[in-house]
Amino acid sequence: MRFGLCTDIKKVKEVEELGFDYVEGKLNQLALWPQEEFDEVLKSFSSSKIKMETACLLLPKTMSVIGDSYNEAELISYLKVAFARMDALDCKLVVFGSGKSRVIPDGMNYQEGFKSLVKVTRLIGSIAQEHGISIAIEPLNRSETNLINSLCEGAALQAAVDMPNVGLLADAFHMRKENEDLALIPKCSPLLHTHIALKEGRVFPTEACDEVKEFFSALKSAAYDNRMSIEGKSDDIKSDSIKALRVLRAYA
């Protein structure tokens, strides 16, 4: 397996020095930079040994894709810039978490919200397909959104969208927060991508523990052997990264 860190891509040199295999950039950040700022950051990758292989945070927090606030023209305009910048970075996978963007508004039932999300995910997938980009649906815990909170719901959305470049992500933190059975991982596989952080405090997995061991065991049952990004909090990035990478590589 290969391991990355979710962070600002301006820190690519730091991420490389910490020993990660790649950096997972924040798309809703880099897509909104002025072109001059993006061009400067892009230059830094020419001398880096690692790349932005994946991206998280597909949509800006202020952009809603369900209900009366949804503006399709605005979404399309944003995605064209965002995916063009992924192209420039040779990044071919983006995570569709963006919990605030996919909230079912008051007055709308679940079925209507789900159908709306299917439609907009197909639109995102279609534009992404033009760039050879895959979309990884990320189930999020209920404190972050009210739609797609479990791996099975994510798999249902994937099936409803029914596009070859739209798949599923398993996130250890969100699954633990929702008390999900990790045996669902092989049942909902294959996976496109994975994220990890510990349940308590959403911190880096700096020590061997059952929580990490069980996640890897479920992934091995699903024959998953691709990327895993740490998406968590740390008060000491350098120390915690070194410890976490040692733990993750031992379980891989």
Side-chain angles (χ1 to χ4, degrees), residues 64-80:
S64 175
V65 295
I66 297 176
D68 294 338
S69 298
Y70 173 44
N71 184 324
E72 186 171 290
E74 178 187 27
L75 173 63
I76 292 171
S77 178
Y78 166 81
L79 291 175
K80 286 182 176 179

Side-chain angles (χ1 to χ4, degrees), residues 164-236:
N165 67 321
V166 176
L168 187 61
L169 176 149
D171 185 301
F173 168 75
H174 291 293
M175 291 190 75
R176 290 288 183 178
K177 287 285 285 186
E178 288 297 307
N179 297 311
E180 284 194 82
D181 184 354
L182 295 179
L184 291 170
I185 289 176
K187 290 183 180 180
C188 294
S189 289
L191 301 174
L192 278 183
H193 190 34
T194 60
H195 280 169
I196 193 167
L198 298 184
K199 178 182 177 181
E200 296 303 320
R202 201 173 188 173
V203 296
F204 285 33
T206 57
E207 297 181 357
C209 62
D210 287 344
E211 189 173 332
V212 178
K213 180 180 179 181
E214 290 165 3
F215 187 57
F216 272 88
S217 179
L219 292 174
K220 288 179 180 178
S221 294
Y224 182 83
D225 190 28
N226 203 341
R227 300 185 189 94
M228 179 181 291
S229 299
I230 298 175
E231 187 180 34
K233 301 174 183 177
S234 170
D235 293 326
D236 187 339

Side-chain angles (χ1 to χ4, degrees), residues 33-46:
W33 285 336
Q35 187 61 44
E36 297 79 10
E37 184 175 359
F38 177 72
D39 288 342
E40 283 299 312
V41 175
L42 189 59
K43 289 179 184 177
S44 68
F45 279 85
S46 63

